[in-house]
Structure formats: C-alpha cells, structure tokens
C-alpha cells in the first residue's frame, strides 16, 4: 500500500519560503544590530593649522600614495566643507571641530579676547590655578576651563567609563588642550625658547611620564635645528610663486626670503628652538612624538576605543611668515604628506589597518597676501588703524563728549562701557547703531552689525549667519566689523585669517578607515558636523552643546 505524503508539493514549497523568510529576517536583524555602531580600536583626529582646501588639489600631483592621497582615494572627501562662524582662528577652530558647535555655544570666541565680565584680556587656554609640568616657565599653566561644553573626546571617555584613553598633541598649547577636552588623560605641547621640550600642565599630571622625559632627552629637537632645504627640485614647484619676492617675511639675519633657510639661530643647537615651529620640521617632530605616544600609551591595543588628537601647527607659522602662494608653503605640505604617510604606517603596524578611523580637517583657512593681490589688480588692502583712529576719536568726542564710551576693541568687535551709556541717559541699541553707521563709512569696512541685531534676528545664510554663530551673548562685543574681501589687519608680508570670507572658511574634511565609505561629496558640510559624525559612528552621545549634523554619506 502506497503511503501518502503528509504534505503536497505546493505546501512543501510554501514551507520552504516561510523558513527562508524567517531566516532572512533573523539575518537582517543581526545585521542591523551589528551596524548600530562601529568600534574602531582607535580614532585619530588630525587638524592641520591654516590649511585651505586648495592645498589638497594644488599640490596633489606632488603627493605620494600614502599620505593625502590615501585619504582621498581610499576614504571620503567632503569638498565643500566650511566654517560656519567667525572669527576663524586657532582656538575657536579646534574647539568647534571637537565640540560639534560654534563659539556662540562653546564660548571660545577667539585665541584671545576681552573678558567683559571681569574687565581683563584673557587667553583661550590659560589657567593660573595650574602649574607647568616639564618646564620651570609659565608655558604649562593651561587648562580647558574656558570651554563651556563637552567634546567628542569627553563623550568617548564618559561612554567607556573613563577606560578609553585620550591623548592630545600639538606644537601649540591651545591645539592640544582644547581637542583633549575636560577629561583627557594627557595633553602635550612643545615649549620652544631655549628648551625645546614637550610639556604639560598639572591639570593632567604632576610629572611627565618617563617616555616623555626620554623623548625630550633623545636629541630629537636638536636634530631638527638644521637648514631648511626643499624636499624636491624647487624648479618643479610650479604651483607656487617665485622664491624671491617682496610678499614674504624673513628669518633673523636673512637678506632674502629664499631657500635654503639656514640662519645662525636655526642652526644653533642650544638656543631658540621656537624657530623649529616656523619650518616643516615642527610637523615632523609632532609626528615623531605622536608615534611615540601611540606606542608608549598602548593606544588601540584593546577593544575599548581610544582617541589620539593631533594638530599640525607649523603650517600656520609658515603661512603667516611666507603666505599662501610661497614655495615655502608648497614644501611644507609636501613634507607634511610624508609625515602623514609615516603616521599611517605606524597606525597600520601598531593598531591594524582595518582597526582605526581617522579624520583630517583644518582650524581655518587663509587669505592670499593682500599686497600680492593688489599687484595682480585684485581688490585688496590693509587696515590703516592709525589714520582712522583720529577720525573715530573725533566722532566719539563730538557725539558723546568722551572716547571712554568705547571700553575695548577685540577680534574686530567694539565693547561699549554700559555705565557711561546709562550715565548719558542713552539707549544701548541706539548707541550701537550710531557707532555702526559711523564705522560703515570707513573705506576698509565692508559691513557692520550690532549686538542688538545678533540678539533679535535668526540669520540662516551669508555673512550675518556666520557672525551670529560666532556671537556669544555673554562674551562677545556690541559692534561687529567685517572687513572688505582681501583686506587684512596684518603686516604687508605673509598671510593671515580670522574673517567670515570664503578663503578663511573653506577647508578640507577627509575621513578614512573603519566604518568609512569610499567616495566624495560636493554637498555643503560644516565644521560642527565632524563631532556628531564620529559620535554616530561610535554609537556614543553627541557633545553637550552639539549643533552640527552627522554626515550620513560618510558612514557605511
């Protein structure tokens, strides 16, 4: 007798489909669970001081395969990345990268500024309640106490119950202190002078670790007290102007701003280590120290994510001295490219190529040397404060009977004396507007905004949007100046920055490594977007003042 099947063939096929669907749903849920976060062993944040976006493209054919090109060709390139606030300077720049917000929220409104609550001038990282570590000078009396919110590095420390390490390194103190956040295990910066040492603050430690002492005693700083020659044949540096021109500064004892730079102070092994900062060798010693920290601090050696924050500062010193179009800038970036390749190699070896995530950006851009632009018949110039000071003083005396109604001038902002305004029985809004209209008549001024406008409006685009993001209600001034494009409050040689103009706001943003897609975008991204993008990647809280948005295209 034939035994009949319990299931017909169609029933059997249906059962298979249901089973496949259930298993598929399980796999999808598993994939969703595993993709809720990515856990690189190490995140490396790199800020290149005063790097314009076009330094990436201008010198691209000279770069090797393992530095900037590795970022661009294997990582993700945000081509239209901008600072969305002013002033565009080092302190606010580093803070905004790591807090995911702007000076309006994080409080670092400049490198230095007038503290109107305490009637003193302050520096963004200074703190006399702490002492120097590694030097008898005051160079280590620093902390992040003026930064009012958390950083992405703080949030990673909190998320890991303080088990994930944060180490921050830069030639400049503010380039290490502010990215390290409030909870960094250590922040180190380079004290030049006649010492040439990496130092810190008692905010972080009471004495330097042995490995830092050993590094300081190794002779590394002395080895970089050498002539600065070009990395390649200077005749191939066609992407920059002539070596000998009137738009560049000079080292002491130099007659012309030309290669090789080999002044007695630069070559002297026992004095003026500060000069290293103004050569590409400052970036090289920063790389040396960062690689040593990677090894000695065992960063990226376990499943708990660590963070290494590195700022390359020599690019800023060189830019200020020689300008955007100099052979010196080109050589500095070609040498930085080699330093980045060395850093990648160390990360591959010590952490593992697929086990770390890196981003690279800048803290601001820079203007072409205005005197050079003028010679090219491009509108540009300099602020003549000496001439306009007389006119402005006469206006204040005529209108208000005293110059003292202006209490301070800081970061192109005027601060009024509220007591004098009240004593004269005047409305603050009216005084702001009256002075603003006077300043608008000066030739070098492009536009003027008042504190009242910053309070009352919600700007969403253009220059006022940028100014408002930099306007901190408790710390900023009463009248805000914007100079004409191409105009600088600076000397006649070298480049500077600080404005809301596009040459100061357009900077690179590159991502590479674990959890990062390969590709690029021309959609606008902004500096405060970096921290929430990394936070989303790691699955951790956004910094406490965050106003940026995660860049979805970057993440796998």
């Amino acid at each position: 007798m034939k035994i009949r099947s319990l299931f017909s063939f169609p029933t059997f096929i249906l059962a298979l489909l249901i089973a496949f669907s259930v298993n598929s749903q399980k796999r999808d849920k598993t994939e969703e669970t595993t993709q809720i976060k990515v856990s690189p062993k190490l995140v490396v944040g790199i800020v290149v001081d005063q790097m314009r976006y076009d330094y990436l493209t201008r010198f691209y054919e000279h770069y090797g395969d393992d530095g900037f090109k590795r970022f661009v060709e294997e990582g993700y390139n945000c081509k239209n990345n901008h600072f969305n606030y002013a002033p565009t300077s080092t302190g606010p720049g580093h803070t905004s990268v790591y807090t995911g917000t702007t000076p309006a929220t994080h409080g670092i409104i400049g490198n230095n500024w007038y503290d109107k609550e305490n009637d003193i001038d302050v520096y963004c990282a200074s703190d006399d309640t702490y002492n120097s570590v590694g030097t008898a000078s005051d160079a280590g009396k620093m902390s992040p106490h003026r930064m009012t919110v958390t950083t992405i590095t703080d949030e990673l420390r909190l998320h890991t119950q303080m088990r994930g390490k944060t180490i921050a390194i830069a030639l400049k103190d503010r380039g290490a202190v502010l990215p390290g956040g409030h909870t960094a295990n250590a922040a180190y910066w380079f004290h030049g002078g006649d010492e040439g040492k990496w130092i810190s603050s008692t905010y972080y430690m009471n004495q330097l670790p042995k490995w830092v002492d050993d590094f300081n005693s190794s002779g590394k700083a002395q080895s970089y007290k050498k002539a600065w020659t070009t990395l390649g044949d200077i005749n191939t540096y066609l992407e920059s102007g002539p070596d000998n021109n009137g738009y560049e500064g000079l080292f002491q004892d130099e007659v012309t701003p030309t290669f090789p730079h080999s002044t007695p102070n630069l070559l002297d092994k026992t004095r003026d280590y500060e000069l290293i900062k103004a050569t590409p060798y400052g970036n090289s010693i920063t790389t040396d120290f960062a690689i040593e920290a990677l090894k000695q601090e065992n960063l990226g050696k376990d499943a708990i994510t660590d963070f290494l924050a590195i700022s390359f500062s020599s690019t800023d010193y060189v830019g200020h001295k020689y300008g955007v179009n100099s052979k010196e800038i080109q050589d500095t970036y070609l040498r930085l490219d080699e330093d980045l390749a060395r850093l990648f190699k160390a990360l591959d070896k010590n952490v593992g190529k697929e086990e770390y995530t890196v981003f690279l950006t800048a803290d601001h851009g820079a203007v072409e040397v205005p005197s050079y632009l003028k010679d090219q018949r491009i509108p540009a110039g300099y602020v003549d404060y000496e001439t306009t000071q007389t006119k402005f003083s006469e206006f204040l005396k005529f209108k208000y009977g005293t110059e003292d109604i202006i209490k301070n001038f800081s970061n192109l902002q005027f601060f009024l004396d509220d007591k004098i305004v009240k004593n004269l029985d005047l409305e603050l809004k009216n005084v702001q507007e009256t002075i603003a209209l006077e300043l608008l008549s000066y030739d070098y001024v492009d536009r003027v905004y008042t504190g009242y406008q910053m309070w009352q409006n919600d700007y969403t685009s253009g220059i006022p949007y940028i100014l408002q993001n930099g306007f901190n209600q408790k710390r900023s001034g009463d009248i805000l100046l914007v100079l004409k494009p191409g105009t600088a409050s600076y000397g006649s040689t070298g480049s500077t920055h600080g404005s809301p103009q596009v040459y100061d706001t357009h900077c690179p943003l590159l991502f590479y490594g674990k959890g990062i897609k390969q590709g690029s975008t021309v959609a606008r991204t902004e500096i405060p977007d970096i921290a929430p993008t990394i936070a989303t990647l790691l699955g951790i809280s956004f910094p406490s003042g965050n106003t940026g948005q995660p860049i979805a295209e970057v993440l796998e």
Side-chain angles (χ1 to χ4, degrees), residues 30 81 100 147 254 420 539:
T30 301
N81 182 62
M147 181 169 57
E254 281 188 328
I420 292 179

Side-chain angles (χ1 to χ4, degrees), residues 249-270:
L250 300 169
F251 279 117
Q252 186 180 347
D253 302 318
E254 281 188 328
V255 178
T256 60
T258 54
F259 282 104
H261 297 288
S262 54
T263 70
N265 275 15
L266 191 60
L267 297 173
D268 192 305
K269 299 296 184 185
T270 59

